[in-house]
Amino acid sequence: RKEVEQDPGPFNVPEGATVAFNCTYSNSASQSFFWYRQDCRKEPKLLMSVYSSGNEDGRFTAQLNRASQYISLLIRDSKLSDSATYLCAVARGGTPLVFGKGTRLSVIA
Amino acid sequence: DAGITQSPRYKITETGRQVTLMCHQTWSHSYMFWYRQDLGHGLRLIYYSAAADITDKGEVPDGYVVSRSKTENFPLTLESATRSQTSVYFCASSGNVLGNEQFFGPGTRLTVL
């Protein structure tokens, strides 16, 4: 089993829709969790950290489920500009981040 | 605030040549990383560094050499480039704790003919 796994998509959703992505991780000792956004031919950019209690930033909500070893990203009221690839990243204490391969989102007018 | 920069942004070279990709950060971050990103593989860690003169191998270090004589610079050298090293290379940095969020440079697109 890979250390971090994501559904590659693509997820094609209409504008205004709510969409959710999951990211599963294999190591129960994982401590740090992040979501990144990567536009085509650009570098990954930090979207948000994922905290144990869950956290929200505008239309974006991140959740952590330690029991089932996954994190999720929920995007509400999708915009055309949300079209991108979303990468999750996970780390155990004292180790570098391990990135998932990404989930591609296309928001359609 | 320059942040993290990479040069060159694009490079075409030939098999067997030595190539050095540069990475420079202005945040005084302790950690710096080199990744390659290929279709179907995602981001794969090549090498990382905790501080000047401290480097560690990542997932795919073969064929690459790094150095870190100054905290702000972390060059990546392909000693004898191969076609399989055609990729997009990203440099990243993070603060004082390994496993904290990382910030990426704009990338270098390398083609080995």
Side-chain angles (χ1 to χ4, degrees), chain B residues 1-22:
Chain B
D1 181 2
I4 183 165
T5 57
Q6 294 183 235
S7 62
R9 296 292 314 280
Y10 302 89
K11 177 74 177 179
I12 299 173
T13 191
E14 293 177 340
T15 301
R17 291 194 181 260
Q18 183 179 78
V19 178
T20 296
L21 309 184
M22 305 301 293

Side-chain angles (χ1 to χ4, degrees), chain A residues 40-94:
Chain A
C40 190
R41 301 177 75 84
K42 298 283 192 180
E43 73 273 24
K45 291 187 177 175
L46 181 66
L47 181 65
M48 57 199 303
S49 303
V50 186
Y51 302 123
S52 296
S53 55
N55 47 302
E56 190 173 305
D57 182 3
R59 297 181 294 108
F60 298 83
T61 300
Q63 300 264 342
L64 166 63
N65 186 317
R66 284 196 184 274
S68 300
Q69 294 184 204
Y70 73 88
I71 61 174
S72 63
L73 178 68
L74 181 79
I75 305 175
R76 288 182 298 278
D77 189 22
S78 298
K79 313 288 185 193
L80 293 174
S81 57
D82 293 333
S83 296
T85 296
Y86 291 84
L87 309 173
C88 63
V90 176
R92 291 169 280 140

Side-chain angles (χ1 to χ4, degrees), chain B residues 34-36 44-47 57-64:
Chain B
W34 274 107
Y35 292 88
R36 59 178 291 173
R44 291 184 289 176
L45 183 63
I46 304 171
Y47 270 97
K57 293 179 180 179
E59 181 187 355
V60 290
D62 292 344
Y64 302 95

Side-chain angles (χ1 to χ4, degrees), chain B residues 20-34:
Chain B
T20 296
L21 309 184
M22 305 301 293
C23 179
H24 175 80
Q25 53 106 355
T26 60
W27 292 312
S28 299
H29 280 167
S30 296
Y31 287 93
M32 295 187 75
F33 309 84
W34 274 107

